[in-house]
């Protein structure tokens, strides 16, 4: 027997009848602390990495957010929402675009109910929609009209300001002299300056004034500006007036509005009929000097877009004629959103002056869209729940027919039929006017729909056993895939029209559609080919052994399986196609990206803010592409394949 | 008896060659590739071989009809078209095309029918139900339709071009190009060495003389290649880092990487390009005098980045040859060391050997060159004149070049990151565990286990992304960078010859794609061999 | 068309090459109506190729194949007619995974035989009951076990009311515990008088049910005999060698 150091007790052991209680894991390893340690600080390298990344990330986020909130002028987006969305589509015909959107929404809602097995996602969407419906109006009404200030000065006369006010409101006018440093801030300047051409030069002029104040060329304490402030009605009759003298510069004027109409605020620097206190060394009255803010409160804020002016004309009557000293075509109107904001903004101001107006301008469309979607969703859901088999069959049929007809209907609605018949005719809108997000979505949708069958044909051709057809398919596919999209679009724009007829007739939009469809079809063909290769050859054999001919085999057996297998790749191709529609802007169509060029070229005051426009457009693209990818991932998980796997 | 019981008396293993295997001409005839080549040559002859015929043109002028006969030399297909038009005066282009194609296809049709009827006689199968006949006939019909269709389209194109006053003429390539191209080799200088090419040099040199369209296109091409190569290198590095970041066990790094990938993948390249370019133009100082200066004579302004141009002196070739030899030797040593590690388990120190060879030999080359001829490189700093940097002094990355490269890099890196991630993830984790359990270090595991297998999955989609990058470089036109597509479009608009320039650009891009594919395929093959 | 001398399948000097490789060498055999013939042999012997030639899944270069009086040529009509008369069951089942069991069985009925849907479904249910799994009608093939899938495949082939059933190693891909259920179906089929040509490794089935056994090796038919003679007293050396290795 070997000598060993084990005592008898170490060799035998019986567990106690009651197992000891489980202990908690050591405190640093689980829970939040544990997760942080494992994920962020697990090793020295990791710790350094975390710190460096945090620093860089914070810097980047800080810079981006401060730029977006304080420096960026989003008015380029806010004032051009309509251009960005539908371009220069005639205002009077916009209802047709809205009709197309309604049609699409209703079909989608029906589709979700009938085809979707995503009840949970639908419920989630519904919940989000309800939340948005509640929040949006709240956010939209957060717009608090800021007081409008504009300037009068000794060296220029302010243009009369025209604005509208409603019955029961109190218009408040005031003179705020700029006689100390605190009042002469950029924050207070939100208005136009007489003599300036447009707002850009207003800013320059104001910067000039500020500079002069800062460098002492203008002495604030020499304020000597008598101002006559008048409130006129639309015909030019004086309703009320007040005089601001250098001794009592701060004056205000309140007027109770009795009916909705236009008003004019006029501020003139008076040099006569006023006792000027100040005299110079030889006793002559000194010339007026200095600047003052004229402040207008409690007036309706509106945009100076032609469509808005139209509406104003209808409600409040003709716009009164005044002598506008500015060359700004729409000058002499108070329009808060058309006024650029100078200098840094606080987050509160950003929310109130830029985010809220944006939300309120898109609010109505978003709310209406949600309501339509929810109503259609609900009706279809109810019909499906409480109807019988034939109801569901009818619903499916209506939905299918609706989807089949969506492209022709959309085209006819957008293009119009022309003609004399008052009931049937729609004013024809040439496709050059289809711009903005409308054009992007149109191009994407039609190319997607057209390229899929074309791609399938090419893929089948490539894989057919017949060498002639196969060779041509391969040549065609590889030729298109080897060329950059822009050359294909170039080809479609310049050469394809000469294939049929003398070349000028073909719609630009149709040319681009041909190019995009061909391009996408070639890539789609490769994707479908991959799916076809996955199908085991035995499927073909079983089908042939049963007596099905090749067309039936393809239609019933091969293609359903192949197409289902390539849904993820196909959806990804569609997202690519959506992004690629941006290239038509190079050729000369003004879709979402191209319309930015139109905006900044046609309205020079927005030229310095073109990056804000690009960021906005980028966000729109991102949101749509991201949603498409997410839907595709969802389809992959819950859709066709999943049910069939064990 | 045979049916119920049977015992074979034959030699089981004896076999015969298949019946159609004969030697000689019949063997060649039945080779499908041979047939295809013959068919292509036959069809091509119809459109290329010139015949002379007389064409009668009837002119009606002031109540007198006169016919003039002229001798015309055209292709056979043209001749047939002419005759058709004599018979049927307003035959449409497509109909004309189909008839010509049918006429060309007569031998094929005859052959197909002959075979079918032969089968019918021999085996009694009606030809229209014969599987082989159906197959061949479908292809012949398809061929006729395709040729006829292409012919019709081409005729339409020609006629409509003529109606609009354009005649497709490839000589436009030798005409003048008159828009300034702000970067790349100056297109106003001819290419000298073309004349020296035997046989075709003289005729080619007309195209490559100064200021020709061809010359301009070549400048555009060199600009494209410059941007593409630089972007490829940088985006690969960035993409690899991002891909590794996607798999990091540091949550923060993961989040940052995946956010980057999501944002840059879902935004169109063109939007990113515009944003980057306008940022460069808006944020950087516009006047060269105000340019931001970096140590080493680098000046950054909204015009671009001025940096010292490296001029090569005598002895540079010597230095470079040493460096190249050092690089190749380094690669060779790397693989030798890996093999050694594989066989003996000793640590490989591959990086040290590679760097030793490459840097060491480069240093020796540099030293030698310096001793013999003086330092082989000279830096020419940009000199700031009154309003701008002096032309030709120092090198310039234009703002357009920088904008294009940056946008391409940022966009493509997002895709490469995902590919790299998928590749690394495809290596079963069990392998890494086994390697660790077996005692391999992190480095050894990476080099010998993970990377080779990951590369197999990474290379094909990576090739795809490289091709995409090369094609996406054509977006340069949007910001005014004079790449191939930009120059080509300008030339096409100037001269009106859209077809010519389109064909030239298409072929060039196809060639670039082919070259990139070929290189990547070669790398792919080598990687396959590496681990066998 | 009626067969002339009572044979429903006739192969005369059939030769097939895959490229250079001679896979069927001078194969001649005859099968009578209602007969169950089992083909056995080592892998690579050409037995699968043989029965795949019969319904034109493979094309033979020399010799003639006559099924129910119809010669198998390049004539599309003949090929379709023969495929109508023969049903095939594959080693890998080859069910259509995206259709339900019921749809698998009714698809060819509706679009080849042009039977109305209701009739096809009734027939399909009958067949499912015959093979023993009527309750699986609405399920997808992926949800069934291997044995169940193969039985569905048999039902699918039977739905076309063929005169001949061809089996290409029907049980080779099944787990051992599921082989029996499929063999039982095949035995019932044989008892009901179907002409069957079965390529298999299941010697038990051959011994019990076959009328004749054909042994192939290297592309040739080596020996044909009744099960009693074949298994007890093989004549050819090769047959003896083969049987000694597997029994």
């Amino acid at each position: 027997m070997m000598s060993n150091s084990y005592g008898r007790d170490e060799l035998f052991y019986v567990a106690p009848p009651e197992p000891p209680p489980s202990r908690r894991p050591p405190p640093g390893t689980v829970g939040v602390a544990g997760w942080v340690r494992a994920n962020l600080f697990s090793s020295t390298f990791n710790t350094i990495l975390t710190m460096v990344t945090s620093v860089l990330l914070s810097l980047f986020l800080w810079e981006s957010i401060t730029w977006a909130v304080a420096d960026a002028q989003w008015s380029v987006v806010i004032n051009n929402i309509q251009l960005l969305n539908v371009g220069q589509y005639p205002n009077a015909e916009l209802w047709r675009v809205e009709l197309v959107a309604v049609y699409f929404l209703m079909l989608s809602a029906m589709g979700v109910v009938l085809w979707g097995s995503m009840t949970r996602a639908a419920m989630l969407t519904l919940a989000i929609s309800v939340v948005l419906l509640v929040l949006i109006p709240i956010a939209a009404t957060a717009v608090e009209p800021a007081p409008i200030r504009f300037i009068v000065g000794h060296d220029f006369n302010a243009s009369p300001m025209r604005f509208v006010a409603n019955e029961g409101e109190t218009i408040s006018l005031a003179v705020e002299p700029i006689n100390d440093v605190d009042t002469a801030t950029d924050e207070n300047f939100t208005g136009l300056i007489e003599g300036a051409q447009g707002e850009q030069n207003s800013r320059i002029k104001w910067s000039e004034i500020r500079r002069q104040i800062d460098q002492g060329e203008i002495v604030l304490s020499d304020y000597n500006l008598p101002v006559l402030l008048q409130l006129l009605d639309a015909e030019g009759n004086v309703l009320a007036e007040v005089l601001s003298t250098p001794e009592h510069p701060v004056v205000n004027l309140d007027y109770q509005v009795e009916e909705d109409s236009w008003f004019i605020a006029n501020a003139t620097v008076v040099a006569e009929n006023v006792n000027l206190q100040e005299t110079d060394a030889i006793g002559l009255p000194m010339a007026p000097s200095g600047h003052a803010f004229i402040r207008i409160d409690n007036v309706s804020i509106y945009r100076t877009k032609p469509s808005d002016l139209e509406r104003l004309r209808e409600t409040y009557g003709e716009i009164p004629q005044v002598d506008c000293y500015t060359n700004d075509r729409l000058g002499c109107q108070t329009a808060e959103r058309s006024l650029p904001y100078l200098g840094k903004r606080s987050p509160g101001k950003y929310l109130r002056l830029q985010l809220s107006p944006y939300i309120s301008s898109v609010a109505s469309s978003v709310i209406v869209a949600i309501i339509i979607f929810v109503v259609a969703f609900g009706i279809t859901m109810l019909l499906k729940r409480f109807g019988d088999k034939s109801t569901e069959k009818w619903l499916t049929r209506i939905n299918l027919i609706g989807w089949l007809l969506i492209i022709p209907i959309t085209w006819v609605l957008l293009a119009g039929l022309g003609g004399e018949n008052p009931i049937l005719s729609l004013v024809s809108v040439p496709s050059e006017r289809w711009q903005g997000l409308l054009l992007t979505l149109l191009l994407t949708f039609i190319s997607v729909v057209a390229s899929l069958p074309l791609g399938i044909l090419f893929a089948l051709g490539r894989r057919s056993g017949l060498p002639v057809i196969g060779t041509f398919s391969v040549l065609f596919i590889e030729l298109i895939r080897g060329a950059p999209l822009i050359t294909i679009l170039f080809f479609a724009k310049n050469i394809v029209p000469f294939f049929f007829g003398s070349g000028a007739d073909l719609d630009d939009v149709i040319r681009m559609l041909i190019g995009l469809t061909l391009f996408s079809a070639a890539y789609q063909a490769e994707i479908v080919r991959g799916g076809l290769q996955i199908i085991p050859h035995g499927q073909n054999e079983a089908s042939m052994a049963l007596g099905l001919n090749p067309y039936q085999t393809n239609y019933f057996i091969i293609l359903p399986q192949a197409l289902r297998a390539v849904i993820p790749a196909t959806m990804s191709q569609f997202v690519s196609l959506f992004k690629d529609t941006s290239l038509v802007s190079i050729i000369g169509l003004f879709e979402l990206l191209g319309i930015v060029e139109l905006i900044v070229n046609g309205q020079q005051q927005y030229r310095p803010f073109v990056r804000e426009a690009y960021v906005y457009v980028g966000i729109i693209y991102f949101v749509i592409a991201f949603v498409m990818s997410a839907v595709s991932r969802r389809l992959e998980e819950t859709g066709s394949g999943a049910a069939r796997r064990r | 008896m045979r049916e119920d019981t049977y015992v074979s008396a034959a030699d089981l293993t004896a076999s015969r060659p298949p019946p159609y295997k004969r030697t000689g001409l019949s063997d060649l005839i039945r080779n499908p590739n041979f047939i295809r080549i013959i068919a292509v040559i036959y069809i091509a002859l119809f459109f290329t071989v010139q015949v002379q015929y007389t064409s009668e043109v009837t002119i009606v002028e002031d109540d007198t009809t006169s016919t003039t006969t002229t001798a015309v030399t055209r292709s056979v297909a043209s001749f047939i078209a002419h005759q058709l038009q004599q018979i049927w005066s307003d035959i449409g282009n497509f109909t004309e095309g189909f008839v010509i194609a049918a006429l060309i296809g007569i031998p094929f049709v005859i052959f197909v029918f002959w075979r079918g009827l032969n089968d019918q006689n021999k085996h009694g199968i009606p030809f229209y139900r014969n599987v082989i006949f159906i197959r061949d006939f479908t292809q012949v019909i398809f061929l006729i339709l395709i040729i006829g269709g292409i012919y019709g389209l081409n005729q339409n194109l020609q006629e409509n071009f003529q109606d609009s006053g354009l005649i497709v003429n490839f000589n436009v390539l030798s005409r003048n190009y008159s828009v300034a191209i702000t970067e790349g080799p100056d297109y106003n200088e001819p290419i000298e060495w073309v004349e020296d090419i035997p046989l075709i040099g003289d005729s080619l040199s007309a195209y490559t003389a100064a200021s020709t369209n061809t010359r301009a296109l070549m400048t555009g091409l060199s600009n494209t290649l410059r941007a593409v190569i630089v972007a490829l290198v940088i985006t690969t590095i960035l993409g690899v880092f991002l891909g590794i970041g996607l798999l990091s066990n540091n949550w923060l790094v993961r989040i940052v990487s995946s956010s980057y990938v999501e944002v840059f993948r879902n935004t169109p390249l063109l939007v990113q390009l515009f944003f980057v370019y306008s940022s460069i133009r808006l944020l950087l100082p516009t006047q060269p005098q105000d340019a931001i200066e970096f140590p080493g004579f680098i000046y950054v302004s909204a015009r671009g980045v001025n940096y010292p141009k490296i001029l090569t002196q005598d002895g540079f070739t010597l230095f470079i040859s040493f460096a190249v030899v050092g690089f190749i030797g380094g690669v060779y040593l790397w693989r030798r060391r890996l093999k050694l590690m594989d066989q003996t388990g000793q640590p490989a120190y591959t990086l040290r050997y590679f760097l030793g060879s490459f840097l060491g030999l480069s240093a020796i080359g540099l030293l030698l060159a310096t001793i013999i001829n003086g330092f082989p490189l000279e830096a020419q700093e940009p000199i700031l004149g009154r309003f701008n940097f002096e032309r030709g002094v120092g090198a310039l990355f234009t703002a357009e070049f920088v904008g294009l490269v940056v946008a391409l890099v940022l966009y493509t890196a997002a895709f490469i990151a995902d590919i790299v991630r998928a590749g690394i993830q495809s290596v079963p984790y069990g392998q890494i565990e086994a390697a660790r359990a077996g005692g391999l270090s992190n480095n050894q595991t990476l080099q010998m286990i993970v990377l080779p297998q990951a590369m197999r999955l990474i290379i094909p989609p990576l090739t795809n992304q490289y091709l995409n990058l090369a094609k996406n470089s054509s977006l340069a036109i949007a910001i005014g960078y004079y790449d191939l597509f930009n120059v080509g479009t300008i030339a096409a608009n100037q001269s009106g010859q859209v077809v010519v320039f389109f064909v030239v650009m298409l072929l060039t891009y196809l060639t670039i794609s082919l070259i990139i594919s070929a290189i990547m395929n070669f790398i792919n093959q080598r990687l396959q061999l590496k681990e066998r | 068309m009626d067969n002339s001398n009572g044979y429903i399948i006739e192969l005369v000097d059939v030769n097939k090459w895959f490229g250079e490789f001679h896979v069927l060498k001078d194969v001649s055999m005859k099968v009578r109506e209602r007969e169950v013939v089992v083909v056995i042999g080592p892998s690579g012997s050409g037995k699968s190729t043989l029965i795949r030639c019969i319904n034109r899944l493979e094309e033979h270069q020399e010799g003639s194949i006559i099924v129910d009086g119809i010669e198998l040529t390049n004539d599309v009509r003949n090929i379709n007619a023969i495929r109508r008369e023969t049903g095939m069951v594959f080693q890998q089942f080859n069910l259509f995974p995206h259709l339900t069991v019921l749809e698998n069985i009714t698809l060819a009925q509706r679009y080849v035989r042009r039977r109305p849907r209701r009739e096809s479904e009734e027939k399909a249910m009958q067949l499912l009951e015959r093979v023993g799994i009527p309750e699986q009608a609405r399920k997808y093939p992926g949800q069934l076990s291997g044995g169940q899938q193969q039985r569905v495949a048999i039902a699918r082939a039977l739905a076309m009311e063929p005169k001949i059933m061809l089996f290409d190693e029907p049980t080779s891909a099944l787990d051992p515990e599921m082989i029996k259920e499929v063999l039982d179906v095949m035995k019932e089929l044989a008892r009901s008088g179907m002409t069957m040509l079965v390529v298999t490794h299941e010697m038990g089935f051959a011994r019990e049910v076959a009328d004749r056994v054909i042994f192939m090796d290297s592309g040739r038919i080596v020996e044909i005999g009744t099960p009693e003679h074949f298994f007890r007293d093989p004549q050819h050396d090769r047959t003896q060698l083969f049987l000694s290795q597997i029994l």
Side-chain angles (χ1 to χ4, degrees), chain B residues 387-405:
Chain B
F387 296 109
N388 203 348
F389 291 93
E390 281 181 32
R391 263 185 196 284
V393 177
L396 172 67
F397 285 136
T398 56
E400 289 79 22
F401 177 81
V402 172
L404 182 67
V405 168

Side-chain angles (χ1 to χ4, degrees), chain B residues 474-489:
Chain B
S474 57
L475 291 185
I477 190 174
I479 57 172
Y481 179 71
Y482 287 97
D483 77 318
L484 176 66
F485 182 73
N486 198 357
V487 171
T489 311

Side-chain angles (χ1 to χ4, degrees), chain A residues 400-446:
Chain A
L400 269 177
I401 296 180
W403 280 116
L404 277 176
L405 290 179
I406 192 173
I407 292 181
I409 288 183
T410 305
W411 196 276
V412 165
L413 271 176
L414 286 178
L417 292 169
E420 301 290 319
N421 190 331
I423 301 180
L424 278 184
S425 76
L426 293 166
V427 173
S428 83
V429 177
S431 65
E432 287 80 47
R433 296 293 213 106
W434 307 356
Q435 297 163 343
L437 186 59
L438 170 69
L439 185 61
T440 298
L441 293 176
L442 190 71
L443 287 174
T444 310
F445 194 77
I446 298 185

Side-chain angles (χ1 to χ4, degrees), chain B residues 72-90:
Chain B
V72 176
T73 311
R74 293 274 167 74
S75 69
V76 176
S78 263
F79 172 67
I80 301 178
H82 177 81
Q83 301 301 349
L84 278 175
Q85 276 161 1
Q86 304 283 68
I87 304 169
W88 182 1
S89 51
D90 57 339

